[in-house]
Amino acid sequence: MNAFDPTDPTDPLAAFTALRTPEGEALLAELRAYDPSQELATATRLRRSHPAPLVSAALGQARLRQRAVAKFGAEDAYRMFFTPNGVEQATRTSVATHRARRFAEAGVRSVADLCCGIGGDALALALAGISVLAVDRDPLTAEVARANATALGLDTLIEVRCADVTEIDTSAYDAVFVDPARRGGRGRIFDPEAYSPPLSWATAAALTAPRAALKIAPGIPHEAIPAQAEAEWISDAGDVKEAVLWFGEGFAPGSYRATLLPAGATLSAPAALPAPPVGPVGRYLYEPDGAVIRAHLVADVVERSGGRLVDETIAYVTSDEPYDSPYASAYEITDQLPFNVKKLKALLRERKVGVLTVKKRGSAVEPEELRRKMKLQGPNAATVFLTRVAGAPTMLVGHPVRPDVRASS
């Protein structure tokens, strides 16, 4: 890396090299508590004793580390290095750890990590005791991945290679992991064949390996999922993060799975489930986790709860008896009204509701706009669901069910 000029502001790789010098590392340590609102004053002060390009690079890295804390935690984020795209596209630690655990449980001891980015998945695999070949075609990204392996003390298990992933021989590895780029110059890419590399290439690479996993966008159409794959949707703290296609021994082709982190609860079905029954709104309403919805496993929640859907196109489940499940949030419904803003406002005023949570499915109304119109006042709280019931726009008013009044699933 010493071949690069660390004072050249036009060379991102040179700027990154400068950050790894003793002066650069000391500067980054000083910027751990950096306040972005004070950037101009901070930059002016630091440029009195450090080269301006180095200060600029350090400030940029400090901002990226702050953003990365949400995915990697403060302890690791402030030891690691990032690029703007790397922070945006990297797998958060909880999800990468789950995936690495599934590989390890399948007996995998070596993985070719293709399109490794800044190395988030490679780090999780190595922490699971798996040796990794991490490949990325971008020289800066590959250097960042290598630096992260060293920073976390995992460089003996991770080999980083800057190369075109389509030219890598993976035959010596127990498994292949492919994380195609799903962002372009215009933002997110929704067509799997527009991924880089395309899903068809990634699938072909997966089918040549004993085991494989492909990270894809959670919104992938089910018809685009290869028949040879087990499809898993993963949420973390209720937020759907990604989908993974699993191939090879130990996985179930054609099956669907929803995994909810951090608990690790998993719901699965060997194939697409039949359409669940539809019926009137009961005393309780259940909002399935997003991973359950994406995996088309709402029918499983319906069956387990002994309930029904409120509308054949809406993923709200209802029942007359309470049901406790990690796969859905439970609410007790107190009122059902045809959609009418004035009637809702009058009801909330009568109930002295000052805090209103607005949820919606199948409604074009914006929650914030509705909340403003309510002019809330009072000591009580409520939740309103804007949805359709048997095709009709409907408002359901209620509150979360306390755990002590739920029935055991």
Side-chain angles (χ1 to χ4, degrees):
M1 292 191 297
N2 292 332
F4 301 104
D5 179 2
T7 64
D8 182 357
T10 66
D11 185 347
L13 189 53
F16 176 67
T17 301
L19 289 178
R20 301 197 65 202
T21 64
E23 183 181 11
E25 291 181 354
L27 194 52
L28 286 174
E30 184 179 345
L31 287 169
R32 178 168 179 140
Y34 156 72
D35 181 355
S37 68
Q38 301 297 316
E39 179 163 325
L40 181 58
T42 301
T44 301
R45 174 177 58 81
L46 293 176
R47 284 170 181 159
R48 297 190 187 110
S49 54
H50 301 282
L54 180 60
V55 171
S56 178
L59 287 169
Q61 191 61 220
R63 289 192 297 270
L64 294 174
R65 284 180 167 182
Q66 289 182 347
R67 288 172 55 193
V69 168
K71 288 187 174 183
F72 293 92
E75 182 179 353
D76 286 346
Y78 284 105
R79 291 190 291 165
M80 293 172 63
F81 296 90
F82 302 95
T83 65
N85 285 340
V87 169
E88 188 71 31
Q89 299 185 29
T91 305
R92 68 173 50 215
T93 296
S94 57
V95 178
T97 298
H98 164 73
R99 185 164 43 240
R101 185 183 302 117
R102 289 204 72 188
F103 266 132
E105 289 173 350
V108 170
R109 294 295 175 263
S110 62
V111 171
D113 178 0
L114 309 181
C115 309
C116 69
I118 56 101
D121 282 284
L123 296 172
L125 290 164
L127 285 169
I130 298 171
S131 62
V132 185
L133 170 65
V135 184
D136 200 283
R137 68 181 180 182
D138 178 65
L140 174 60
T141 303
E143 283 297 330
V144 171
R146 186 175 290 111
N148 287 336
T150 300
L152 271 61
L154 297 169
D155 46 325
T156 58
L157 283 171
I158 301 175
E159 175 195 347
V160 179
R161 191 179 302 174
C162 183
D164 186 331
V165 297
T166 64
E167 299 175 359
I168 296 297
D169 179 5
T170 63
S171 60
Y173 296 86
D174 295 341
V176 167
F177 172 62
V178 187
D179 181 5
R182 296 179 301 283
R183 282 185 175 274
R186 297 183 178 180
R188 292 183 183 275
I189 297 172
F190 296 99
D191 178 6
E193 284 307 296
Y195 292 172
S196 180
L199 179 61
S200 57
W201 180 91
T203 299
L207 292 174
T208 64
R211 296 177 185 84
L214 311 183
K215 176 180 171 181
I216 56 175
I220 186 172
H222 279 223
E223 56 268 24
I225 297 173
Q228 306 95 324
E230 171 191 308
E232 178 181 27
W233 282 261
I234 303 170
S235 69
D236 190 10
D239 188 10
V240 181
K241 293 301 178 184
E242 65 181 58
V244 186
L245 303 182
W246 296 94
F247 297 81
E249 186 179 350
F251 306 112
S255 68
Y256 299 89
R257 173 187 294 253
T259 297
L260 283 56
L261 302 176
T266 295
L267 192 64
S268 62
L273 298 172
V278 179
V281 177
R283 180 177 177 181
Y284 299 97
L285 188 77
Y286 305 98
E287 182 182 33
D289 183 272
V292 173
I293 296 172
R294 295 282 193 177
H296 292 186
L297 294 174
V298 173
D300 192 297
V301 174
V302 172
E303 181 178 355
R304 289 168 183 257
S305 66
R308 54 204 175 266
L309 296 181
V310 301
D311 184 279
E312 64 180 359
T313 64
I314 303 294
Y316 281 140
V317 181
T318 188
S319 71
D320 303 309
E321 300 295 332
Y323 164 68
D324 184 27
S325 169
Y327 307 112
S329 300
Y331 297 83
E332 185 173 7
I333 299 303
T334 56
D335 301 272
Q336 177 177 342
L337 307 169
F339 182 82
N340 185 299
V341 173
K342 290 184 178 179
K343 287 184 178 180
L344 178 62
K345 185 177 180 180
L347 176 65
L348 297 178
R349 185 187 305 116
E350 176 187 337
R351 300 284 170 80
K352 298 180 179 179
V353 172
V355 178
L356 182 67
T357 300
V358 182
K359 293 176 172 286
K360 70 168 191 172
R361 271 194 194 132
S363 172
V365 177
E366 290 300 325
E368 285 302 324
E369 179 184 352
L370 179 69
R371 193 180 289 107
R372 283 195 300 270
K373 291 180 178 179
M374 293 300 100
K375 297 182 179 178
L376 302 166
Q377 189 173 5
N380 299 322
T383 300
V384 61
F385 296 86
L386 308 177
T387 187
R388 293 193 302 273
V389 174
T394 302
M395 301 181 297
L396 303 174
V397 182
H399 54 80
V401 176
R402 299 193 312 273
D404 59 337
V405 300
R406 294 181 186 176
S408 177
S409 60

